[in-house]
Amino acid sequence: MFKAPRGTADILPEEQVYWRHIEGKAEDTARLYGYGRIDTPAFEDASLFTRSVGEGTDIVNKEMYLFKDRSDNELSLRPEGTASVCRAYLEHGMDNLPQPVKLFYFADIFRYERPQAGRYRQHHQFGCEAIGEGSPMLDAEVISMALNFFSSMGLMNFSLHLNSIGCKKCRPIHMQKLKEYYDPLKKGLCEDCLIRLEKNPLRLLDCKKPGCQEAADAAPKSADFLCEECHQHFQSLIHYLQALDISYVLNPRLVRGLDYYTKTVFEIQPLEGGSQSALGGGGRYDDLIAMLGGKPTPAIGFATGIERIVLNLKSQNVVVPGPAKPTLFIACMGDAARIEALKIAASLRDANVSVIVSTGDRSLKAQLRQANTVGATSAAIIGDDEVKAGTVMLRNMENGEQQEIQPEELKRLLSSQQ
Ligand code: AMP
C-alpha cells in the first residue's frame, strides 16, 4: 500500500471546513487592507532562494527540495513565499506602479524538516507583502492586519513578539559582539551553533536546543546596537502600536530563520506552545529587492501557516461554519426512474439547487438512509408509478411528510429556497 510521503498530509473532506473558514477570512482581510492576490510557481531557480533566504540558514543548508530538470536547470520547490513575490514584482515591472504594491498569496511551501505536530515537509501559507514603502507606519499596519486576521477567525490566546535586528550598517556591530560573547562559551554549544558562530552568529539566538538557552538569553541584544535610523524606526513603530492599543512582547531573541530581514521582525505566538509553534511571522526586508537586481526598495511582509491555524482553532474549540449540505436527495427504483432522476437532477442544478442522485441498485430504505447521512433536507422518490404519472414523491427528511409533486413545481419550490 502506498502512503503519503513523510511530512505531508491529505486534507480530508471533514477538515476542509477549517480550510475554507481560514481562506475566507484571509481573503476578507486582504480585501479590507487593499491587497491583491498573486500566485507564483511552486518551483523557481534554486539560486533565487539561496541568494535571498541566505547561505547560512537552515532553509538553504538543509531544507530545500532541490532538483535538476531534464534540461539541467537547477530548481527548488519553494521553501518560502516572499522571494517569489519579489521576483514577480521585478519581472512584471511593478516597481513602476504607485508604491507600495500590496500583494497576498496562498502557497504550498516545501521544507525538508523533521516532521512533528504542526511541522510538515509540505505546508501551506497565507502571506502578504507590501513592497515600496519604508515608513514604520506600514509596519504597524501590517502587524495590525496579521493580528486582525487571527482575531477574525475566532482565535484567542496569542501574543505579538517584536524585535528589531537593524540594517546592514548596524547589524555587523551586533554580530561582532555576539562572536565576542560566544567565543569563550564554545564548549557548551550544540554542533549547529558552532557552525552558526562561524557563518551567521545572529542565528545562535534562534537555537531551540535546551543546552544553548542560557547563553542565548544572556547574549548581546540587537536593540542595543541599532544605528540612529533603525532606532528611530523601531521607536516610531512602538509609538504607532501603542496608539492602536496593540500589546507586544519585546523579544531580543527573535531573529527569524531567513537572512533577508532588516529592522522590524515579529512573530505571533500562541500563549501555550512557545516559539516553535508560531502561528505566523514576518518583518521588513529593505534590501531584498536590490539583492534580486532591482533598485533599492523597502518592503515588509508577513506569512502564516494554515496547518498551525487549524491546530489552534481545534484546540480552542472554535466553531467554524459547517459544510454546505445538499438540498435534495433523489432516490430511484427501476431503469426508467433512473433516467428521470438524472434529468430532474440536471434541471435542478441549472436552477442552482444542489442535488445528490442515488446511483446504483440499492433498496429504497438504503437510499433514504443515505439521504439522512448526507444531510439532505428533502428527498425525491421516483418509482415506476411516479414515472407513469410524470411526478415525484417529495419527502421532508425532518418530519417524514410526503407529497406528490410535478418536477417543474419541485424546481420552483427548491430554487425559491436558495
Ligand atoms: P516562516 O516562513 O518560517 O516565517 O513561517 C511562517 C509560518 O509558517 C510559521 O509561523 C508557521 O505558522 C508556518 N510554518 C513554518 N514552517 C512550517 C512547517 N514546517 N510546517 C507547518 N507550518 C510551518
Side-chain angles (χ1 to χ4, degrees):
M1 285 283 275
F2 287 110
K3 282 192 163 178
R6 190 164 136 75
T8 69
D10 300 312
I11 307 159
L12 299 174
E14 57 268 28
E15 291 281 300
Q16 295 287 345
V17 285
Y18 289 97
W19 288 71
R20 295 291 84 77
H21 177 62
I22 297 165
E23 284 164 5
K25 293 295 181 190
E27 274 173 359
D28 289 351
T29 308
R31 182 181 53 78
L32 288 173
Y33 286 79
Y35 283 66
R37 178 162 176 162
I38 184 165
D39 291 288
T40 63
F43 59 86
E44 301 263 5
D45 278 342
S47 56
L48 172 67
F49 301 116
T50 41
R51 199 185 303 175
S52 54
V53 177
E55 302 271 4
T57 59
D58 281 356
I59 292 181
V60 166
N61 286 343
K62 305 183 191 164
E63 296 174 359
M64 289 215 295
Y65 277 85
L66 290 163
F67 62 100
K68 273 191 180 174
D69 69 9
R70 286 161 200 269
S71 309
D72 256 7
N73 297 308
E74 297 261 5
L75 300 167
S76 170
L77 295 183
R78 70 182 146 211
E80 62 102 41
T82 303
S84 303
V85 173
C86 290
R87 194 259 314 131
Y89 169 89
L90 288 171
E91 187 172 338
H92 300 287
M94 290 187 234
D95 46 344
N96 294 318
L97 300 174
Q99 308 289 303
V101 171
K102 295 181 171 176
L103 301 165
F104 80 96
Y105 59 85
F106 295 106
D108 32 8
I109 303 290
F110 303 87
R111 295 180 188 169
Y112 190 79
E113 296 198 80
R114 201 164 58 78
Q116 51 192 288
R119 188 166 296 279
Y120 298 89
R121 289 184 175 165
Q122 179 187 9
H123 73 277
H124 299 75
Q125 290 189 357
F126 160 55
C128 302
E129 315 291 350
I131 307 175
E133 168 65 69
S135 162
M137 190 177 165
L138 182 61
D139 305 30
E141 201 193 39
V142 168
I143 290 173
S144 78
M145 172 178 177
L147 296 170
N148 285 342
F149 167 57
F150 290 118
S151 314
S152 76
M153 289 181 293
L155 276 185
M156 293 184 303
N157 302 333
F158 53 82
S159 59
L160 167 67
H161 286 234
L162 194 63
N163 194 16
S164 172
I165 55 170
C167 65
K168 55 179 180 253
K169 266 190 287 172
C170 51
R171 194 178 319 157
I173 304 167
H174 180 224
M175 300 268 246
Q176 185 54 36
K177 296 284 175 199
L178 283 171
K179 268 198 177 136
E180 287 165 16
Y181 166 81
Y182 270 107
D183 253 340
L185 305 177
K186 269 183 181 168
K187 264 197 195 134
L189 298 179
C190 72
E191 256 174 51
D192 281 343
C193 276
L194 289 174
I195 300 170
R196 291 175 182 133
L197 189 54
E198 293 310 313
K199 284 196 168 172
N200 188 347
L202 205 59
R203 297 261 83 75
L204 283 151
L205 300 175
D206 205 18
C207 185
K208 307 290 187 297
K209 301 250 168 63
C212 299
Q213 299 307 301
E214 209 177 305
D217 281 339
K221 300 174 175 50
S222 52
D224 293 336
F225 302 97
L226 296 180
C227 62
E228 187 52 26
E229 188 196 328
C230 290
H231 176 73
Q232 284 305 332
H233 186 99
F234 199 39
Q235 291 312 308
S236 303
L237 168 60
I238 286 174
H239 179 70
Y240 287 125
L241 292 178
Q242 286 170 346
L244 290 170
D245 268 339
I246 294 176
S247 45
Y248 53 86
V249 178
L250 289 178
N251 181 348
R253 285 189 52 189
L254 182 65
V255 293
R256 316 268 301 126
L258 305 93
D259 274 357
Y260 52 61
Y261 286 113
T262 50
K263 293 183 178 161
T264 311
V265 288
F266 64 97
E267 242 172 45
I268 285 112
Q269 299 182 1
L271 293 186
E272 283 164 28
S275 60
Q276 288 222 66
S277 53
L279 278 164
R284 259 199 180 275
Y285 47 93
D286 288 350
D287 301 329
L288 181 54
I289 296 282
M291 274 158 66
L292 299 179
K295 53 183 191 284
T297 307
I300 179 165
F302 158 80
T304 167
I306 313 265
E307 285 82 356
R308 297 264 173 97
I309 300 175
V310 172
L311 277 176
N312 280 269
L313 287 172
K314 286 183 179 172
S315 67
Q316 292 185 22
N317 297 318
V318 175
V319 180
V320 298
K325 298 270 164 76
T327 307
L328 184 76
F329 184 94
I330 304 185
C332 47
M333 278 91 39
D335 283 342
R338 284 193 195 102
I339 291 170
E340 272 316 296
L342 286 172
K343 281 188 186 164
I344 293 172
S347 144
L348 286 169
R349 288 176 188 133
D350 281 347
N352 203 30
V353 179
S354 67
V355 184
I356 290 189
V357 185
S358 171
T359 46
D361 217 4
R362 274 163 299 172
S363 68
L364 179 61
K365 202 168 154 198
Q367 292 185 51
L368 290 179
R369 211 178 303 127
Q370 192 193 348
N372 252 329
T373 317
V374 298
T377 40
S378 46
I381 304 165
I382 313 175
D384 288 341
D385 291 349
E386 284 77 17
V387 173
K388 263 188 220 133
T391 59
V392 305
M393 189 61 80
L394 180 63
R395 179 184 175 93
N396 181 322
M397 291 304 292
E398 264 152 42
N399 58 21
E401 274 172 20
Q402 298 199 154
Q403 68 175 111
E404 202 168 346
I405 181 171
Q406 306 271 339
E408 273 312 303
E409 188 163 354
L410 178 70
K411 186 169 169 177
R412 260 196 306 280
L413 188 73
L414 295 182
S415 59
S416 71
Q417 291 170 6
Q418 294 305 299

